[in-house]
Amino acid sequence: MRVHVLQHVPFEGLGSMETWLQDRKALVTWTRFHEQGDLPEPGAFDLLIILGGPMSIHDETEYPWLSAEKHFIAETIQADLPILGICLGAQLIAHVCGARVYPARQKEIGWFPVQAEMTDADHFQFPRQFLAFHWHGETFDLPVGATRLAHSAACENQAFQLGNQVIGLQFHLESTATTIAALIQHAADEIVPDQPGIQSPAEMLEASADAYEDIHAQVQRVLDFLSTQVPQKVL
């Protein structure tokens, strides 16, 4: 399986998804927009993973490569290739599908519960309630034709599925203690004390081993689901 990764900043990487990819001996290629913006043809990969980042999808003046990235994501959707978008990645998918992306009523930074929507057999199903790690200040409307997979008290649209091959997650199931520490280091200005929905660094880092095990199991399930949309000849 050939997997292409869109990375926006060096401190937001694959996290625990790297283990899933290694176990499947996937050939992983990258577009690291913080270094260069070369993009492959959609036929050059079988699964696209779009990572998070601190910028907004509206920041094209500061990050001109966003325009090319949006066009590339739209092409990949039109090619019916499996896509996983995480945080900024989910917002980019929603945007290119015509949905509005805008500031949420409050930021979510830290470990907070998410509630699943009940869906049919054609859609990914999360546990009824689970704890996830969050780091976002913007949200999105559901794209036309998308199905909501999860919500939280602070965010109506936490996850969605578009068709059988596209899943967008507002939260970070791939997080590890190392990736969370990197976010705290590089985005410390967003951690405003005594704000609802924002935990302290100590609270974020004291998560139990069980919490990490649970989210890593969930992201593996998401990737397993999307990998069923990859032509069997490449698996």
Side-chain angles (χ1 to χ4, degrees):
M1 180 165 46
R2 303 166 301 170
V3 179
H4 193 71
V5 181
L6 303 182
Q7 185 179 31
H8 305 102
V9 288
F11 56 88
E12 292 202 45
L14 288 168
S16 69
M17 293 187 291
E18 190 167 359
T19 299
W20 186 91
L21 294 167
Q22 290 173 346
D23 288 347
R24 284 150 186 81
K25 297 179 172 60
L27 174 63
V28 182
T29 55
W30 295 76
T31 297
R32 294 182 169 95
F33 290 106
H34 51 94
E35 295 178 355
Q36 50 78 30
D38 294 339
L39 290 161
E41 293 296 323
F45 57 91
D46 308 300
L47 168 67
L48 178 66
I49 298 175
I50 314 169
L51 299 175
M55 61 286 296
S56 167
I57 65 104
H58 304 293
D59 290 343
E60 289 188 16
T61 300
E62 186 175 358
Y63 304 100
W65 44 259
L66 277 167
S67 178
E69 182 180 17
K70 292 172 183 178
H71 181 72
F72 176 76
I73 293 168
E75 283 188 329
T76 305
I77 293 171
Q78 291 166 5
D80 291 328
L81 290 168
I83 305 174
L84 172 60
I86 297 171
C87 201
L88 176 64
Q91 295 164 9
L92 284 162
I93 294 169
H95 173 75
V96 301
C97 291
R100 188 169 60 110
V101 179
Y102 51 94
R105 61 178 179 267
Q106 70 177 53
K107 289 185 176 183
E108 282 184 297
I109 299 177
W111 293 88
F112 298 104
V114 175
Q115 290 76 41
E117 309 287 346
M118 294 296 102
T119 58
D120 59 33
D122 292 330
H123 292 84
F124 184 82
Q125 182 66 65
F126 284 106
R128 186 173 296 273
Q129 178 166 301
F130 58 99
L131 194 66
F133 185 75
H134 307 251
W135 197 300
H136 63 92
E138 292 194 317
T139 188
F140 48 79
D141 293 334
L142 281 183
V144 173
T147 298
R148 181 186 296 110
L149 299 180
H151 66 277
S152 71
C155 185
E156 182 178 7
N157 296 319
Q158 281 283 1
F160 67 87
Q161 182 177 329
L162 187 63
N164 290 323
Q165 78 279 10
V166 179
I167 290 180
L169 307 177
Q170 186 76 285
F171 42 84
H172 294 268
L173 296 177
E174 80 287 1
S175 293
T176 66
T178 300
T179 65
I180 292 174
L183 277 167
I184 292 169
Q185 177 185 353
H186 292 279
D189 59 311
E190 295 189 51
I191 306 172
V192 181
D194 302 320
Q195 291 293 312
I198 301 180
Q199 292 180 341
S200 69
E203 289 175 299
M204 288 185 248
L205 292 171
E206 69 184 8
S208 68
D210 286 345
Y212 287 109
E213 184 177 340
D214 287 346
I215 63 171
H216 296 168
Q218 293 308 316
V219 80
Q220 289 181 15
R221 289 183 59 239
V222 172
L223 290 167
D224 285 341
F225 179 90
L226 289 172
S227 71
T228 66
Q229 307 305 315
V230 175
Q232 291 299 305
K233 64 182 180 179
V234 304
L235 294 179

